[in-house]
């Protein structure tokens, strides 16, 4: 098996384009908030060594999930007719407008950046120097977000290709978006066929490939989706031959 990427230019409706921009903004927001958790914890640790710094992707995801439902993320004061005021904790009020995976994958990206910085500081990483992660600023970083291809309650996957129309891709929360390119090659890999299981060697009827991630990014005024696919190896005659030494 091999990993490969299929990239398609999207043709979203105006409403879908707004949803894509909203997801990209949410990804940037979550990355910056997680970075704030880290910098504040590092500063607090200087006076209190017992403070734990959320450094790994797992810790950052947990920290953000707790924060987005807390009072720090959002609250509302309700004044009754008699003048009494009640505080209502709302958390991050717009968090349900985007896929929760966007927040998680942004935390994963920061965790990788922190790991690269730590390895560079300790000498475990070779190559060019890697600095401490910086905040992502709107207009200075590319608008993008990533979604995992998880299974939904019906047993199918959230990211689907060619559903309803051959030139479409379906993304969680956003829905089905038309694409400019032909998806035939990818749909052939995702179509259930009879083949030998790569692990057991037994004949099975299943797709030969699986979409793992979808990365959506904006280049200029156009949106693109890159699908990371776990696909079968190419036929030996179609592989690049290694030149003789």
């Amino acid at each position: 098996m091999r990993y490969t990427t299929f990239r398609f230019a999207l043709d979203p409706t105006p409403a879908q384009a707004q949803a894509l921009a909203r997801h990209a903004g949410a990804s940037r927001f979550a990355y910056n908030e997680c970075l704030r958790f880290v910098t504040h914890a590092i500063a607090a640790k200087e006076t209190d060594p017992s403070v734990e710094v959320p450094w790994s992707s797992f810790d950052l995801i947990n920290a953000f999930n707790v924060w987005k439902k807390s009072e720090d993320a959002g609250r509302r004061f309700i004044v009754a007719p008699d003048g009494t005021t009640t505080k209502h904790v709302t958390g991050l009020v717009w968090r349900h407008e985007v896929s929760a995976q966007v927040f998680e994958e942004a935390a994963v990206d920061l965790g990788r950046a922190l790991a690269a910085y730590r390895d560079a500081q300790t000498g475990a990483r070779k190559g060019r120097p890697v600095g401490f992660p910086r905040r992502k600023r709107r207009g200075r970083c590319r608008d993008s977000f990533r979604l995992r291809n998880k299974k939904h309650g019906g047993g199918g996957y959230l990211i689907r290709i060619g559903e309803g129309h051959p030139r479409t891709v379906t993304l969680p929360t956003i829905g089905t978006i038309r694409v400019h390119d032909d998806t035939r090659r990818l749909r052939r890999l995702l179509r259930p066929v009879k083949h030998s299981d790569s692990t057991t060697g037994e004949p099975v009827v299943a797709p030969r490939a699986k979409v793992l991630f979808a990365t959506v990014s904006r280049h200029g005024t156009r949106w693109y989706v890159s699908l990371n696919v776990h696909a079968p190896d190419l036929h030996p005659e179609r592989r690049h031959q290694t030149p003789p030494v």
Side-chain angles (χ1 to χ4, degrees), residues 119-120 123-130:
D119 292 345
R125 178 186 174 91
K126 306 301 179 183
R128 64 180 180 85
V130 177

Side-chain angles (χ1 to χ4, degrees), residues 1 5 44 69 83-84 108 110 132 149 151 162 182 184 237:
M1 300 293 284
T5 301
K69 301 176 183 178
T84 59
V108 169
L110 178 59
F132 190 79
N149 193 15
K151 282 190 174 182
D182 192 352
R184 184 185 296 112
E237 294 182 357

Side-chain angles (χ1 to χ4, degrees), residues 45-76:
K45 194 175 183 65
E46 294 180 358
T47 56
D48 184 1
S50 64
V51 174
E52 295 290 336
V53 180
W55 198 269
S56 68
S57 300
F58 180 78
D59 292 338
L60 291 168
I61 290 174
N62 287 339
F64 188 87
N65 285 340
V66 172
W67 174 84
K68 70 181 182 182
K69 301 176 183 178
S70 68
E71 180 180 350
D72 291 337
R75 63 185 183 273
R76 183 173 58 202

Side-chain angles (χ1 to χ4, degrees), residues 151-156 158:
K151 282 190 174 182
H152 56 69
L158 293 174

Side-chain angles (χ1 to χ4, degrees), residues 7-242:
R7 185 170 181 261
F8 304 109
L10 296 175
D11 184 21
T13 64
Q16 289 173 335
Q18 290 181 357
L20 295 174
R22 189 180 304 117
H23 278 68
S27 177
R28 182 174 59 249
F29 173 84
Y31 184 96
N32 291 337
E33 282 301 312
C34 288
L35 183 58
R36 182 177 65 84
F37 299 158
V38 175
T39 55
H40 284 194
I42 291 175
K45 194 175 183 65
E46 294 180 358
T47 56
D48 184 1
S50 64
V51 174
E52 295 290 336
V53 180
W55 198 269
S56 68
S57 300
F58 180 78
D59 292 338
L60 291 168
I61 290 174
N62 287 339
F64 188 87
N65 285 340
V66 172
W67 174 84
K68 70 181 182 182
K69 301 176 183 178
S70 68
E71 180 180 350
D72 291 337
R75 63 185 183 273
R76 183 173 58 202
F77 293 94
I78 302 174
V79 180
D82 60 358
T84 59
T85 303
T86 305
K87 181 174 66 176
H88 176 59
V89 176
T90 62
L92 197 62
V93 293
W94 52 266
R95 65 182 185 271
H96 299 298
E97 298 178 9
V98 299
S99 174
Q101 295 184 42
V102 171
F103 301 133
E104 297 175 1
E105 292 303 311
V108 169
D109 287 342
L110 178 59
R112 290 172 178 169
L114 290 170
Y117 169 75
R118 179 191 57 204
D119 292 345
Q121 293 297 107
T122 59
R125 178 186 174 91
K126 306 301 179 183
R128 64 180 180 85
V130 177
F132 190 79
R134 297 181 179 180
R135 287 177 54 86
K136 291 186 176 182
R137 298 185 181 276
R138 183 179 181 181
R140 295 189 179 183
C141 67
R142 178 169 295 167
D143 286 339
S144 67
F145 61 93
R146 188 171 62 251
L147 300 167
R148 294 193 311 277
N149 193 15
K150 301 170 65 176
K151 282 190 174 182
H152 56 69
Y157 286 97
L158 293 174
I159 300 175
R160 302 182 295 280
I161 312 300
E163 184 176 75
H165 190 279
R167 295 194 177 191
T168 59
V169 58
T170 301
L171 302 174
T173 305
I174 299 171
T176 301
I177 308 176
R178 291 292 294 266
V179 300
H180 288 283
D181 314 283
D182 192 352
T183 63
R184 184 185 296 112
R185 287 180 56 206
L186 179 54
R187 285 187 287 112
R188 284 177 177 174
L189 291 174
L190 299 176
R191 185 182 303 135
V193 295
K194 186 176 182 180
H195 63 280
S196 298
D197 186 90
S198 59
T199 304
T200 64
E202 297 293 328
V204 295
V205 177
R208 293 178 296 157
K210 176 187 175 183
V211 176
L212 303 177
F213 294 94
T215 301
V216 180
S217 57
R218 177 159 51 187
H219 300 259
T221 59
R222 176 160 288 183
W223 289 94
Y224 294 85
V225 60
S226 297
L227 301 170
N228 182 264
V229 180
H230 194 205
D233 290 327
L234 293 171
H235 190 278
E237 294 182 357
R238 299 193 62 182
R239 299 175 187 172
H240 291 288
Q241 300 298 322
T242 304

